[in-house]
Amino acid sequence: MKNMSTLTFCVLSFLSVSAYSIVQEPEPSSTAPKPVSLSEAREMVMTGSYKEAIEAFGVLAKEPKTQVAATLGLAEAKMRIGQYQDAIAALDALQANDSARRHFLLAQLYLITGRYDDAQKHSREAIRLDEIDAGARFSRVAASVCSM
């Protein structure tokens, strides 16, 4: 009888603790992320804080005023940690906002993933939009060499 009452006590204790933790409101996080600017998020990328940069750019990309720049930054941060398909998807979502930077990033991503024809196409488009962009010119040459 003693073992049964001990078992019952343990089960009831577990259930009451579990029920309490389920209905208990989560405490406010003391480490809530503070809003950051585009320049602060870019600095995170430059210093290798990619996870933080991705979070910051994700928040900034929801704002109409910073959506395009933040999405470009988000794609670059994802590219740097090897999330190539996610980066391509983010840039594809910006098709209506054509820019040399978007095409340059896509050229880099396609070069990395072995899609050399696409890399050349986006390098050409980046150069067309910004003839001075040396990065786009480099991507075009690299795509040409890799496709041989």
Side-chain angles (χ1 to χ4, degrees), residues 4-93:
M4 184 60 129
S5 62
T6 303
L7 178 63
T8 303
F9 174 78
C10 290
V11 169
L12 290 174
S13 297
F14 172 78
L15 291 174
S16 65
V17 169
S18 297
Y20 176 74
S21 64
I22 290 171
V23 296
Q24 188 178 28
E25 291 286 331
E27 294 190 76
S29 173
S30 60
T31 59
K34 76 174 190 110
V36 298
S37 67
L38 280 169
S39 60
E40 289 171 317
R42 286 184 190 114
E43 183 67 26
M44 290 174 189
V45 172
M46 294 297 125
T47 59
S49 301
Y50 302 122
K51 181 181 176 196
E52 293 84 358
I54 288 169
E55 289 174 12
F57 282 129
V59 171
L60 291 165
K62 293 176 184 172
E63 298 295 323
K65 193 165 106 176
T66 56
Q67 179 187 21
V68 173
T71 303
L72 291 169
L74 178 67
E76 182 177 353
K78 287 186 176 217
M79 178 178 68
R80 291 197 182 194
I81 61 170
Q83 294 180 359
Y84 306 128
Q85 296 308 316
D86 289 345
I88 291 169
L91 294 169
D92 282 345

Side-chain angles (χ1 to χ4, degrees), residues 97-147:
N97 296 296
D98 214 19
S99 70
R101 179 124 178 88
R102 177 181 167 270
H103 287 287
F104 171 64
L105 289 170
L106 281 167
Q108 285 183 300
L109 287 159
Y110 289 138
L111 189 60
I112 291 167
T113 58
R115 293 172 57 182
Y116 305 121
D117 290 340
D118 290 329
Q120 282 184 332
K121 178 181 106 180
H122 285 284
S123 292
R124 277 190 221 103
E125 189 61 17
I127 293 166
R128 187 187 70 74
L129 293 169
D130 183 357
E131 294 178 4
I132 300 172
D133 189 347
R137 291 184 184 282
F138 173 77
S139 292
R140 183 176 180 193
V141 170
S144 296
V145 170
C146 290
S147 64

